[in-house]
Amino acid sequence: MQKLVYCTVRLKPELRSRLEKYARVFELGEEGPAPDLAKVEVLMCGPITPQELDAMKNLELIQCVYAGVDALPWSHVREDVIVASNAGSNADAVAEHAFALLLAAAKRVVFFDSRIRGGNFEIVGESRMLHGRRICVLGLGAIGTRVAEIAKAFKMHVVGYGRSRRNTVQVDEFYTQERLNDALRGCNYAVIALPLNKYTHGLITYEKLSLMKRDGILVNIGRAPIVVKEDLVRFLRENPSFIFASDVWWNIRNPSEDADVYSLPNVVSTPWIAGAASSRETYEEMLRLAVENVVRYLRGERPLNIVRHEDYK
Ligand code: NDP
């Protein structure tokens, strides 16, 4: 009997047909009676509730549609369930966005744009160069690797920071987890491309920010809670030349709670659009890659991007 795949996202007909070669498929929202969750063997999901997970007694695989799996209710994920992220599925889009934020901040695009709208063409202050400057890429996974490659094209000095080196990007220096201080010390720029897990939560504190140059720029396209918000606000207030450029937020459901950050003059913001929300094309590609990984499992192969439960529990 074919396995039952339950999708909480809607699929294009060709992606559904691809899955139906190997499995029975039910998409949330489709017509007809919903399946008994206890019979679901493969879950392809975005957000999912603890109650739904508890009901899936026969679950074998969770394939997340997003690269980050931090939003899963991990305490309800059984130890024997394989969890696969969709890491790398939008690496190009997110790395491009990281550089959009970095360049907007370094070249003061937002600053001048808002002044010019008021008719003010006065040239004040100085822009920052990327060429030859030191950039730390925190997390050398799919996105971090693309960021490092782009940084090399700008002829920057690239410092990698991560746990393992799966990818072959040429960085000038590489530091593992316990050497974060060495990675950040003296950097002009840093880009957070880490997942949010129990080891990275609160990683960037006031002390870590202080290791960077006072006129540095920190870009965050990973997840907001990797940075300690109160420390960041204090650091930005004390160092008006330092810029924080972020796509990710602590309170995305109630963004006004992050006004203490985004209303500061030395902050450049986008509303969490680097990945799935950046374009239909990016989202479709994410779904395609998620489906391909499920197909891999249904054919008896090992899925890609298997996440360590230990990172989240
Ligand atoms: P990858 O899994 O390819 O990369 C993550 C990298 O971080 C891996 O190299 C991993 O190492 C490393 N890592 C994990 N834990 C630690 C740790 N404790 N210390 C140091 N390094 C660590 O994922 P992606 O590059 O595709 O995505 C990264 C993150 O970016 C996602 O998890 C998500 O949170 C965020 N993201 C944000 C988007 C947005 O819209 N702003 C869109 C897409 C992703 P190892 O190989 O050893 O596990």
Side-chain angles (χ1 to χ4, degrees), residues 185-199:
R185 190 171 290 112
C187 279
N188 304 87
Y189 309 118
V191 175
I192 300 175
L194 287 163
L196 176 63
N197 59 34
K198 75 179 188 203
Y199 301 107

Side-chain angles (χ1 to χ4, degrees), residues 5-11 16 25-32 34-35 37 43-49 52 56:
V5 177
Y6 182 68
C7 288
T8 69
V9 289
R10 296 313 299 264
L11 299 175
R16 185 179 173 119
V25 179
F26 182 84
E27 290 172 45
L28 184 66
E30 80 177 51
E31 284 188 10
L37 290 184
L43 169 67
M44 194 173 129
C45 65
I48 191 83
T49 66
E52 287 170 303
M56 295 182 193

Side-chain angles (χ1 to χ4, degrees), residues 224-225 229 248-260 272:
K229 192 184 177 193
V248 287
W249 300 95
W250 293 262
N251 299 289
I252 197 67
R253 287 201 178 78
N254 193 4
S256 63
E257 288 187 17
D258 290 334
D260 51 345
W272 206 333

Side-chain angles (χ1 to χ4, degrees), residues 258-271:
D258 290 334
D260 51 345
V261 176
Y262 62 68
S263 59
L264 290 171
N266 44 345
V267 172
V268 174
S269 312
T270 51

Side-chain angles (χ1 to χ4, degrees), residues 12-296:
K12 279 182 156 179
E14 57 267 34
L15 289 184
R16 185 179 173 119
S17 312
R18 177 95 178 114
L19 280 178
E20 280 175 335
K21 278 191 187 157
Y22 306 93
R24 292 169 294 136
V25 179
F26 182 84
E27 290 172 45
L28 184 66
E30 80 177 51
E31 284 188 10
D36 177 359
L37 290 184
K39 296 189 172 142
V40 170
E41 284 135 324
V42 176
L43 169 67
M44 194 173 129
C45 65
I48 191 83
T49 66
Q51 294 75 17
E52 287 170 303
L53 273 188
D54 287 345
M56 295 182 193
K57 306 273 183 226
N58 276 310
L59 195 59
E60 298 169 11
L61 169 71
I62 300 175
Q63 172 62 58
C64 292
V65 169
Y66 302 113
V69 295
D70 47 285
L72 272 185
W74 274 97
S75 56
H76 295 257
V77 180
R78 285 195 332 268
E79 212 48 53
D80 59 326
V81 173
I82 300 170
V83 179
S85 78
N86 207 359
S89 60
N90 50 18
D92 289 323
V94 182
E96 285 177 17
H97 198 87
F99 264 84
L101 287 169
L102 180 58
L103 286 164
K107 306 299 177 188
R108 300 177 298 151
V109 175
V110 183
F111 171 76
F112 280 119
D113 179 80
S114 63
R115 285 163 63 98
I116 285 172
R117 282 167 201 283
N120 183 354
F121 277 75
E122 187 193 358
I123 298 168
V124 289
E126 288 192 37
S127 294
R128 295 159 216 208
M129 290 296 292
L130 269 57
H131 186 122
R133 304 305 192 270
R134 193 176 174 92
I135 184 170
C136 179
V137 184
L138 297 151
L140 264 197
I143 296 169
T145 295
R146 279 300 294 136
V147 169
E149 285 168 355
I150 299 169
K152 288 309 285 179
F154 275 94
K155 297 192 166 36
M156 302 178 85
H157 182 92
V158 182
V159 180
Y161 167 81
R163 181 158 69 177
S164 54
R165 286 195 69 175
R166 275 183 288 145
N167 301 312
T168 51
V169 63
Q170 288 296 320
V171 290
D172 298 292
E173 296 171 39
F174 181 79
Y175 296 96
T176 45
Q177 270 167 306
E178 61 285 357
R179 296 193 63 192
L180 178 57
N181 287 4
D182 293 321
L184 284 175
R185 190 171 290 112
C187 279
N188 304 87
Y189 309 118
V191 175
I192 300 175
L194 287 163
L196 176 63
N197 59 34
K198 75 179 188 203
Y199 301 107
T200 62
H201 194 282
L203 188 71
I204 302 300
T205 57
Y206 183 90
E207 180 214 349
K208 304 295 176 207
L209 292 165
S210 305
L211 293 166
M212 291 179 64
K213 298 247 192 223
R214 286 295 179 271
D215 62 348
I217 299 173
L218 174 66
V219 174
N220 193 0
I221 44 77
R223 288 288 185 265
I226 295 169
V227 182
V228 179
K229 192 184 177 193
E230 297 70 30
D231 287 14
L232 174 71
V233 169
R234 185 178 144 217
F235 189 79
L236 289 172
R237 287 211 174 107
E238 290 174 5
N239 297 281
S241 298
F242 192 95
I243 300 177
F244 178 60
S246 189
D247 182 51
V248 287
W249 300 95
W250 293 262
N251 299 289
I252 197 67
R253 287 201 178 78
N254 193 4
S256 63
E257 288 187 17
D258 290 334
D260 51 345
V261 176
Y262 62 68
S263 59
L264 290 171
N266 44 345
V267 172
V268 174
S269 312
T270 51
W272 206 333
I273 54 159
S278 68
S279 71
R280 190 79 212 161
E281 179 190 342
T282 301
Y283 184 61
E284 296 296 349
E285 179 64 0
M286 289 167 68
L287 291 181
R288 190 186 71 74
L289 291 171
V291 164
E292 280 313 307
N293 215 25
V294 171
V295 165
R296 216 171 261 122

